Amino acid sequence: MEKPKVAFICVHNSCRSQIAEALGRHLASDIFESYSAGTETKPRINQDAVRLMKKIYGIDMEKTQYSKLLSEIPPVDVVITMGCNVSCPYLPCRESFDWGLDDPTGSDDEVFIETIGNSHAKIIELSQYLAQ
């Protein structure tokens, strides 16, 4: 059976959704395929997220990922919105979940590390759910 495709989406596809895509690939690539996208793009992934993901996991998001529009990813089975409240983008899918994560952009490292840790825990939960 084909692995489910999971899209992590938010408005700018520059921070939370990029972290989730990187962690999905790192922690659960045997369970699902990870993608991220947004309704708008940024020229670069958030540099604090890049630096901390490299420090904590040894993942260089700038080598493997870039900010993408929803139209640039394949059709997906599961959509995870990051917590964009009323302006969350929509993608057709079988199931969707909202993780309700606040955007750490502009915050100190502790807030980023907390967001990364929350994303890690949610990726593990999602992989267990999808493996059933």
Side-chain angles (χ1 to χ4, degrees):
M1 192 175 126
E2 201 173 285
K3 288 188 279 189
K5 291 176 175 61
V6 176
F8 301 98
I9 61 174
C10 59
V11 176
H12 294 115
N13 187 221
S14 64
C15 190
R16 292 166 295 174
S17 55
Q18 292 284 353
I19 290 167
E21 177 184 358
L23 288 173
R25 289 175 181 212
H26 183 69
L27 300 168
S29 62
D30 56 329
I31 308 290
F32 61 85
E33 292 179 28
S34 295
Y35 300 90
S36 69
T39 48
E40 302 169 28
T41 59
K42 293 275 188 179
R44 297 173 77 188
I45 299 173
N46 181 294
Q47 292 300 290
D48 291 317
V50 169
R51 176 175 52 80
L52 290 167
M53 287 292 287
K54 203 179 287 183
K55 180 179 175 182
I56 298 167
Y57 295 97
I59 298 170
D60 188 347
M61 294 193 299
E62 288 186 310
K63 280 204 169 86
T64 57
Q65 295 168 221
Y66 61 94
S67 189
K68 298 167 289 305
L69 293 171
L70 297 176
S71 59
E72 295 178 67
I73 63 172
V76 296
D77 303 296
V78 179
V79 166
I80 308 289
T81 51
M82 295 289 111
C84 11
N85 304 321
V86 293
S87 60
C88 249
Y90 172 76
L91 260 183
C93 59
R94 281 197 330 245
E95 288 187 278
S96 64
F97 305 94
D98 185 274
W99 283 0
L101 298 174
D102 291 329
D103 186 356
T105 300
S107 301
D108 61 25
D109 282 4
E110 279 66 44
V111 176
F112 270 90
I113 290 166
E114 184 179 336
T115 300
I116 291 168
N118 288 337
S119 298
H120 182 126
K122 289 180 176 296
I123 291 288
I124 298 299
E125 286 174 23
L126 179 64
S127 65
Q128 291 168 344
Y129 172 75
L130 292 175
Q132 293 176 4

